[in-house]
């Protein structure tokens, strides 16, 4: 009985060994070799002998936590922070240059060296200046290394009420050249594109009337802009009131006035001549009337 059992076990073992020996050599090595190849490619190391080497993976730069873009939100005058993830799958350290575009982005250092097969999370800050208007703003975080640049989209939302307010200040009239000088001030929290209308009224009526037209500038919140307005043909002799009216989308019209008296040399000379003529004419008329009375009186006495 025992001899028969031993004989059966030997037969089974012999059959198993024969099956293994008959299997193709590629089939025996396929499973473990594939696993090592994937691990080697992920780690950036050389592939095992006999396995084709995978193409080296490129370094990457992206917002931390796998987000599609960097998003920051806060009020004007604040400093907001986020993190940029740099991944170096290569076998050597990688030096990455960092910068920002379209937004005041700053890093602790302009370059970062990322060790081999390592991901480095690099903090950065965005300074929201006090004159930044509320609303959506865009920028870019740039990373450059190994002859390649990666740009990460930066979206900034500045909170706060949107207020449009514009004023006209410091209006001055140069009575020699007729040039008008004035200052526009953005008193609100939004960017403004101002328009300007000019009117001047003299003693005898309107001497200048320019309808509103867009000016070639934009004003950020809190920004001031001093400008001039040409008046090529101001009156030679007049007292005028100049009125400047500035408007912008969403803002109430702003008006400022200035008084000016024009009196050029030729105009004064002409006016003096007219006065002398008027005075001379008046004197002649008086003398003539006096002679007429004298003649009539004399005629009455003779009669």
């Amino acid at each position: 009985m025992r001899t028969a059992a031993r004989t059966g076990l030997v037969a089974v073992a012999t059959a198993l060994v024969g099956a293994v020996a008959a299997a193709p050599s590629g089939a025996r090595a396929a499973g473990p070799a594939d696993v090592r190849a994937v691990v080697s490619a992920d780690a950036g190391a050389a592939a095992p002998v006999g396995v084709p080497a995978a193409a080296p993976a490129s370094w990457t730069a992206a917002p931390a936590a796998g987000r599609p873009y960097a998003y920051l939100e806060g009020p004007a005058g604040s400093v907001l922070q986020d993190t940029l993830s740099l991944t170096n799958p290569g076998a050597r350290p990688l030096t990455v240059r960092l910068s920002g575009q379209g937004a005041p982005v700053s890093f602790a250092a302009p370059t970062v060296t990322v060790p081999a097969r390592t991901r480095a999370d690099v903090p950065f800050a965005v300074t929201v200046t006090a004159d930044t208007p509320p609303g959506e703003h865009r920028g870019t975080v740039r990373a450059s290394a190994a002859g390649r640049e990666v740009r990460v989209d930066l979206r900034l939302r500045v909170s706060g009420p949107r207020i449009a307010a514009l004023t006209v200040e410091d209006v001055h009239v140069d009575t020699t050249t007729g040039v008008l000088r004035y200052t526009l001030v953005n008193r609100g929290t939004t960017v403004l594109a101002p328009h300007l209308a000019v009117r001047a009224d003299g003693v005898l009526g309107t001497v200048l009337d320019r309808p509103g037209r867009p000016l070639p500038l934009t004003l950020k919140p809190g920004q001031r802009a001093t400008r001039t307005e040409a008046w090529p043909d101001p009156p030679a002799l007049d007292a005028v009131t100049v009125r400047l009216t500035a408007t912008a989308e969403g803002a109430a019209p702003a008006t400022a006035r200035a008084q000016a008296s024009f009196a050029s040399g030729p105009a004064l000379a002409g006016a003096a001549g007219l006065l002398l003529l008027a005075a001379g004419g008046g004197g002649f008329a008086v003398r003539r009337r006096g002679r007429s009375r004298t003649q009539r009186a004399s005629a009455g006495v003779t009669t």
Side-chain angles (χ1 to χ4, degrees):
M1 188 71 178
R2 292 177 181 174
T3 301
R6 283 197 299 270
T7 301
L9 290 175
V10 171
V12 172
T14 301
L16 289 174
V17 170
V20 171
S25 59
R28 291 198 305 270
D34 284 346
V35 171
R36 286 195 298 272
V38 172
V39 172
S40 298
D42 289 343
V49 177
V51 178
S58 298
W59 63 273
T60 61
R67 293 168 295 160
Y69 52 83
Y71 179 81
L72 298 170
E73 182 175 359
S78 61
V79 178
L80 309 176
Q81 295 184 345
D82 205 335
T83 303
L84 180 70
S85 291
L86 302 174
T87 303
N88 176 19
R92 291 181 296 179
L94 179 72
T95 299
V96 184
R97 294 183 301 275
L98 303 172
S99 62
Q101 183 179 19
V105 181
S106 60
F107 298 87
T111 60
V112 174
T113 299
V114 184
R117 308 179 188 91
T118 302
R119 186 191 74 193
D121 291 333
V122 182
F124 66 90
V126 176
T127 302
V128 186
T129 58
D131 60 352
T132 304
E136 302 288 340
H137 302 270
R138 292 291 187 93
T140 304
V141 177
R142 301 189 300 179
S144 303
R148 189 168 66 95
E149 181 180 84
V150 176
R151 299 190 176 191
V152 177
D153 188 21
L154 173 62
R155 301 185 185 183
L156 173 65
R157 179 176 178 81
V158 180
S159 57
R162 298 179 64 86
I163 301 173
L166 180 67
T167 60
V168 185
E169 303 175 4
D170 304 328
V171 179
H172 175 73
V173 182
D174 188 332
T175 55
T176 302
T177 62
V179 173
L180 311 177
R181 184 179 299 273
Y182 61 96
T183 300
L184 297 175
V185 185
N186 185 344
R187 300 290 184 182
T189 61
T190 63
V191 176
L192 299 178
H195 291 58
L196 183 73
V198 182
R199 181 184 177 93
D201 295 310
V203 175
L204 300 179
T206 301
V207 293
L208 177 63
D209 189 4
R210 293 179 184 169
R213 71 186 192 286
L215 298 178
L217 82 162
T218 56
L219 293 175
K220 295 180 180 180
Q223 185 178 359
R224 304 171 64 92
T226 298
R227 296 182 52 82
T228 58
E229 184 83 7
W231 188 1
D233 53 349
L237 184 64
D238 203 350
V240 300
T241 299
V242 178
R243 183 176 64 203
L244 275 64
T245 302
T247 58
E249 184 178 358
T255 300
R257 294 175 174 82
Q259 306 289 333
S261 297
F262 291 90
S264 64
L268 286 176
L274 291 175
L275 289 175
L276 289 175
L277 288 174
F284 176 77
V286 170
R287 290 194 300 272
R288 186 174 180 179
R289 285 196 297 272
R291 285 197 300 269
S292 298
R293 293 192 195 97
T294 301
Q295 292 172 358
R296 287 197 298 271
S298 299
V301 171
T302 301
T303 300

